[in-house]
């Protein structure tokens, strides 16, 4: 599968608190979107920072995850006070990202170019010149959605692998906004055929393989980490170049996009070893960016939840994910493709 980082635990019972959060989200989201779309970019960004601060205090569960993850990686290098400051900055960053995302479809090429500088576009063109399509490897880092808008306003055919949000209106907003920005959305779980078809057309496939998974366990931030294997599987099958791509928020609130030179790893006789090699590289390239800009990554995602030996609950949750995968018809069908 292209990008299956998180399979829900097998229980069908959703806690009341989660159902309440999703219900409130469905009600409030439409009331927030319209004002954001008409307000100036700078005002929306300022509002996003405030929204991020509000969410930091309002959502204890995600706040605890961010603190847990940051402490895992940065303690004792940083004090508890410094880690708290980093966590707050993470929430502010993603609050800004959320409000900017809503406004992306109204940005034309001139507006995008006023907000973005680009380094290494020649690497992207070199990868496309091979005629096999390109696997754009990035993460929930910086503003990957702004990078997507840059692609579409500059004539690059972009397809993104994404999953449904658990809040109905949020899922609708995400898909409509991405399509409005010019990207074709391939929903996770049924994306394999579409990915292969669009690679044959020499198009871009954007994948963010940095969430909780159990496909393969490879190093990330100093720990053996459960990671998806989809990018490696597609690369080995198609030899579509991997282009590691990053969109970083700069101090002046503009963005800098970097395209690294394309990578092609020929398959050997040991497919599993090849997958490990490729996904180790993917994690290493992302880690390098996170180390440079630590508050621009999604620390509030429970990245090591299914990684045994990292947190006490890791082994148990990994077993739950394995059970859920075995019971999932869609997963079985996807693996057969």
């Amino acid at each position: 599968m292209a990008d299956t980082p998180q399979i829900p635990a097998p229980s069908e019972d959703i806690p009341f608190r989660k159902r309440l959060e999703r219900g409130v989200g469905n009600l409030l989201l439409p009331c927030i979107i319209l004002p954001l779309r008409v307000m100036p970019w700078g005002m929306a960004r300022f509002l996003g920072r405030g929204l991020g601060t509000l969410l930091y205090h309002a959502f204890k569960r995600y706040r605890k995850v961010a603190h847990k993850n940051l402490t895992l990686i940065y303690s004792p290098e940083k004090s508890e006070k410094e880690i708290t400051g980093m966590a707050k900055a993470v929430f502010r960053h993603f609050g800004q990202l959320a409000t900017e995302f809503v406004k992306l479809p109204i940005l034309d090429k001139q507006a995008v170019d006023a907000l973005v500088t680009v380094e290494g576009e020649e690497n992207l063109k070199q990868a496309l010149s091979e005629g096999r399509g390109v696997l754009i490897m990035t993460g929930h880092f910086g503003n990957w959605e702004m990078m997507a808008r840059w692609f579409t306003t500059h004539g690059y055919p972009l397809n993104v692998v994404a999953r449904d949000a658990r809040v109905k209106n949020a899922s609708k907003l995400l898909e409509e906004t991405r399509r409005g920005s010019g990207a074709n959305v391939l929903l996770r779980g049924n994306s394999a055929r579409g990915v292969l078809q669009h690679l044959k057309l020499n198009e871009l496939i954007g994948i963010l393989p940095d969430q909780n998974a159990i496909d393969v366990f490879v190093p990330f931030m100093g720990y053996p980490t459960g990671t998806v294997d989809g990018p490696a599987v597609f690369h080995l099958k198609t030899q579509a170049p991997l282009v590691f791509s990053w969109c970083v928020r700069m101090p002046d609130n503009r963005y800098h996009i970097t395209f690294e030179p394309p990578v092609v790893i020929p398959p050997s006789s040991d497919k599993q070893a090849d997958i490990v090699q490729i996904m180790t590289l993917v994690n290493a390239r992302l880690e390098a960016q996170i180390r440079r800009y630590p508050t621009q990554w999604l620390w509030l995602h429970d990245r090591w939840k299914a990684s045994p030996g990292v947190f006490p609950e890791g082994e148990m949750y990994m077993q739950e994910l394995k059970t859920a995968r075995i019971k999932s018809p869609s997963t079985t069908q996807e693996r057969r493709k």
Side-chain angles (χ1 to χ4, degrees):
M1 299 172 75
D3 191 11
T4 17
Q6 188 172 3
I7 300 171
S11 174
E12 295 296 326
D13 296 326
I14 301 175
F16 173 76
R17 181 176 176 179
K18 286 189 178 181
R19 285 188 280 118
L20 180 62
E21 287 177 0
R22 296 177 192 180
V24 171
N26 278 321
L27 290 173
L28 291 182
L29 200 57
C31 302
I32 298 172
I33 299 310
L34 183 58
L36 279 174
R37 285 198 167 142
V38 299
M39 72 175 57
W41 182 266
M43 185 182 296
R45 187 175 62 240
F46 178 79
L47 180 63
R49 288 178 63 84
L51 176 64
T53 300
L54 175 64
L55 294 177
Y56 173 84
H57 293 286
F59 287 93
K60 180 180 179 181
R61 178 162 57 98
Y62 294 107
R63 183 173 72 244
K64 287 179 66 177
V65 170
H67 277 265
K68 178 180 73 170
N69 288 338
L70 286 164
T71 299
L72 174 72
I73 303 305
Y74 289 103
S75 178
E77 172 188 339
K78 295 185 180 295
S79 67
E80 184 177 344
K81 182 178 180 180
E82 288 175 312
I83 287 173
T84 297
M86 292 176 72
K88 290 179 178 178
V90 169
F91 275 81
R92 287 195 298 269
H93 169 75
F94 282 94
Q96 287 181 253
L97 189 149
T99 53
E100 291 170 348
F101 172 72
V102 172
K103 298 181 67 63
L104 287 179
I106 67 174
L107 297 183
D108 58 16
K109 183 176 182 292
Q110 182 178 3
V112 170
D113 287 344
L115 292 167
V116 171
T117 57
V118 179
E119 177 183 357
E121 186 178 1
E122 68 276 8
N123 295 323
L124 178 64
K125 291 180 177 179
Q126 178 188 341
L128 282 169
S129 71
E130 299 295 325
R132 301 189 186 98
V134 176
L135 295 169
I136 297 294
M137 304 306 302
T138 187
H140 294 85
F141 169 80
N143 192 338
W144 64 94
E145 302 287 1
M146 176 64 81
M147 180 164 58
R149 187 59 178 147
W150 181 88
F151 280 129
T152 59
T153 56
H154 286 74
Y156 292 99
L158 176 66
N159 308 272
V160 295
V161 178
R163 69 174 178 180
D164 282 329
R166 289 168 183 166
V167 177
K168 181 180 178 181
N169 281 346
S171 181
K172 183 179 179 182
L173 169 67
L174 288 168
E175 185 168 350
E176 287 181 349
T177 303
R178 284 169 178 148
R179 293 191 192 282
S181 294
N184 178 45
V185 179
L186 304 172
L187 290 179
R188 191 180 297 166
N190 296 293
S191 60
R193 185 174 299 172
V195 168
L196 295 174
Q197 288 174 343
H198 288 286
L199 288 176
K200 286 180 180 179
L201 294 172
N202 200 30
E203 296 181 355
L204 309 181
I205 304 292
I207 305 178
L208 288 71
D210 60 342
Q211 290 187 291
N212 181 49
I214 58 170
D215 294 348
V216 63
F217 291 86
V218 293
F220 181 60
M221 305 296 286
Y223 293 90
T225 301
T227 303
V228 297
D229 64 2
V233 172
F234 282 125
H235 179 63
L236 292 169
K237 183 179 181 64
T238 67
Q239 290 291 274
L242 303 169
V243 174
F244 294 93
S245 310
W246 320 106
C247 182
V248 177
R249 185 188 300 276
M250 305 308 291
D252 62 358
N253 278 310
R254 298 176 77 238
Y255 287 98
H256 185 72
I257 295 175
T258 303
F259 299 112
E260 299 183 14
V263 175
V264 178
I265 299 176
S268 73
S269 59
D270 190 338
K271 182 178 180 180
Q272 189 57 36
D274 293 343
I275 288 173
V276 169
Q277 178 188 0
I278 293 167
M279 296 317 301
T280 297
L281 175 65
V282 169
N283 280 1
R285 293 290 180 92
L286 175 61
E287 178 177 338
Q289 296 299 316
I290 296 170
R291 296 286 187 183
R292 292 181 65 189
Y293 307 99
T295 60
Q296 296 193 36
W297 187 57
L298 193 65
W299 292 96
L300 49 93
H301 168 68
D302 214 343
R303 181 67 182 91
W304 290 275
K305 189 173 184 179
S307 300
V310 180
F311 294 120
E313 68 273 18
E315 185 72 36
M316 178 182 68
Y317 191 74
M318 184 182 71
Q319 294 304 321
E320 290 180 352
L321 283 183
K322 285 182 177 179
T323 302
R325 171 165 292 187
I326 291 169
K327 291 182 177 180
S328 171
S330 61
T331 301
T332 304
Q333 291 168 7
E334 186 74 9
R335 286 290 183 184
R336 287 173 179 170
K337 290 178 182 179

